[in-house]
Amino acid sequence: MQKMGGTRNRLEDGASTSNSKKRVVLPAMIKNKEKRSAVHAKLKQEKKVEKKKRAKLREFAEKKALELGEEPPPRKTPHTIENTRELDETVCKPDDEELFAGNDADEFSSILKQEKTPKVLITTCRFNSTRGPAFIAELLAVIPNAHYYKRGTYELKKIVEYANNKDFTSMIVVHTNRRVPDALLIIGLPCGPTAHFKLSRLVLRKDIKNHGNPTSHMPELVLNNFTTSVGHRIGRLIQSLFPQSPNFHGRRVVTFHNQRDFIFFRHHRYIFETKEVKESDSQDKSLKGTKGKSSQEKVIARLQECGPRFTLKLISLQHGAFDTKGGDYEWVHKADMDTSRRRFFL
């Protein structure tokens, strides 16, 4: 009986050791910091290798399907915050007749129909900083037909009246705080609207590595992801700052990219070049046993950033020209709007 009990205990000990071997050790279960970081790095490397294997298998399956004349297997669309955003009733549709009818009668129609030439006045807040003029100088290089006027002690309403009398179509006010520009006010003239943006992540041209110098050509304007009714208004307000006749020979492009209600500004020059790409040719593989290489020309685009680089966040959109007391607001950002990460307003 003792021998039987001994063998049973040995079997139980062997089963417990096998279960302990199968037990997965997570990094959070390890108290030692060095061991925990090593296990985390090992798991991360294993996931990376598995991801590369899946990508190679997918490419092989697509290539084989194309050779057999079949449809390649459908790719899975990754779940991102953008494609899982909450449904918004104000999203503009391409077949919306009311939207296009409103475009013909809004404040920007005369400029966007090229009946008027944009003329922009740029000024500052009353207490200007040392970095403000450098940012304004680069804005003057980006926006054609823009003029800078010193603020002095004038009130903003008087400057708006002066701009209307001088036939300016838009007005930009650069606000600074602690010697750094932190806000932009874009006013459509003569009858609005007024958009207040928070400005962040400003990088001037001199601080951009391998930057280029902008030319005097009329830039191309790219607006991305302004899909809702508020975003459509903001897109047309930005569009009214630039002439609608770009000079494509200058190869100069200005981009306002909206992503998660943050508007990223970039200014580039581009060039198209032809590059020889070597491709493996396995037609004579069965005869020679070696792979031959054939060169093929491919057109590629190269970019050079001219600066500045900054990010805008819409704070409010007001009807009419600037009026802090009696103005009626179309849209105002509030703190309770940021409760969901998948809710966007532009």
Side-chain angles (χ1 to χ4, degrees):
M1 293 296 289
Q2 291 178 356
K3 290 182 179 179
M4 292 285 290
T7 53
R8 188 182 297 171
N9 290 332
R10 287 190 196 118
L11 290 172
E12 288 177 357
D13 292 339
S16 62
T17 53
S18 63
N19 289 332
S20 63
K21 288 180 181 178
K22 293 180 181 178
R23 190 181 299 166
V24 180
V25 180
L26 298 175
M29 299 166 61
I30 303 171
K31 294 183 178 180
N32 190 297
K33 185 178 179 181
E34 292 181 359
K35 291 182 180 179
R36 185 171 64 245
S37 60
V39 171
H40 175 72
K42 186 179 178 182
L43 291 173
K44 192 175 181 182
Q45 181 65 23
E46 288 176 357
K47 286 182 180 179
K48 191 176 180 181
V49 170
E50 288 178 2
K51 187 177 180 181
K52 284 185 177 180
K53 285 182 180 178
R54 289 196 301 268
K56 285 184 179 179
L57 289 173
R58 185 174 64 246
E59 289 177 3
F60 178 75
E62 289 177 355
K63 190 176 181 181
K64 191 174 181 181
L66 290 172
E67 288 176 356
L68 296 173
E70 299 175 357
E71 290 187 2
R75 288 195 174 190
K76 294 181 180 180
T77 55
H79 290 282
T80 60
I81 294 179
E82 283 80 9
N83 61 20
T84 57
R85 65 181 293 178
E86 293 182 6
L87 293 176
D88 194 345
E89 297 178 354
T90 64
V91 172
C92 303
K93 297 180 180 179
D95 57 348
D96 193 348
E97 295 180 357
E98 294 182 1
L99 178 67
F100 292 107
N103 289 343
D104 295 334
D106 67 359
E107 304 92 337
F108 320 110
S109 60
S110 59
I111 297 174
L112 301 185
K113 288 179 181 178
Q114 299 185 15
E115 296 174 0
K116 274 186 182 181
T117 303
K119 186 180 177 183
V120 184
L121 185 148
I122 301 178
T123 188
T124 61
C125 59
R126 286 188 175 179
F127 303 100
N128 196 13
S129 68
T130 55
R131 208 176 180 201
F135 175 55
I136 290 172
E138 297 193 7
L139 280 182
L140 292 171
V142 170
I143 304 173
N145 203 17
H147 307 272
Y148 169 66
Y149 286 82
K150 289 185 179 180
R151 174 70 180 271
T153 57
Y154 292 100
E155 294 182 0
L156 203 55
K157 286 186 178 180
K158 292 185 178 180
I159 299 176
V160 170
E161 292 178 3
Y162 173 81
N164 284 327
N165 294 331
K166 295 294 182 179
D167 296 329
F168 282 95
T169 59
S170 299
M171 181 173 162
I172 298 176
V173 182
V174 179
H175 185 271
T176 57
N177 184 22
R178 295 180 180 179
R179 300 182 179 181
V180 177
D182 67 336
L184 276 185
L185 200 68
I186 302 179
I187 306 171
L189 300 175
C191 53
T194 301
H196 179 206
F197 296 96
K198 179 185 176 182
L199 189 146
S200 60
R201 297 177 180 270
L202 173 63
V203 182
L204 298 176
R205 185 188 307 142
K206 62 178 180 139
D207 300 323
I208 297 174
K209 188 177 180 181
N210 298 326
H211 66 84
N213 295 318
T215 61
S216 59
H217 297 87
M218 293 293 177
E220 305 169 43
L221 183 64
V222 177
L223 299 172
N224 288 332
N225 296 338
F226 293 91
T227 54
T228 64
S229 58
V230 177
H232 185 71
R233 291 274 290 167
I234 294 299
R236 287 178 69 83
L237 175 64
I238 293 172
Q239 195 176 358
S240 66
L241 298 174
F242 295 85
Q244 305 304 304
S245 55
N247 189 345
F248 295 100
H249 294 286
R251 304 187 310 278
R252 182 175 167 223
V253 60
V254 172
T255 305
F256 289 87
H257 176 75
N258 174 40
Q259 187 172 358
R260 304 178 191 177
D261 288 346
F262 288 93
I263 303 173
F264 299 94
F265 173 85
R266 297 293 184 270
H267 180 205
H268 291 94
R269 293 180 64 194
Y270 63 91
I271 189 171
F272 295 106
E273 291 182 348
T274 56
K275 185 179 180 182
E276 289 187 359
V277 179
K278 293 183 179 180
E279 294 185 352
S280 60
D281 187 8
S282 59
Q283 293 180 356
D284 301 331
K285 184 180 177 182
S286 59
L287 298 174
K288 299 181 180 179
T290 57
K291 290 185 178 180
K293 290 186 178 180
S294 61
S295 61
Q296 185 180 2
E297 288 188 352
K298 187 178 179 181
V299 179
I300 61 170
R302 288 176 53 210
L303 292 176
Q304 186 181 33
E305 191 170 358
C306 299
R309 182 194 303 169
F310 57 87
T311 305
L312 298 175
K313 175 81 172 178
L314 182 64
I315 302 300
S316 65
L317 182 65
Q318 182 183 2
H319 280 293
F322 176 79
D323 188 2
T324 54
K325 294 182 179 180
D328 185 17
Y329 287 88
E330 298 182 38
W331 186 88
V332 179
H333 180 267
K334 298 179 181 178
D336 57 354
M337 292 180 175
D338 299 331
T339 54
S340 175
R341 293 182 63 198
R342 290 180 171 82
R343 186 186 305 163
F344 308 124
F345 302 97
L346 297 185

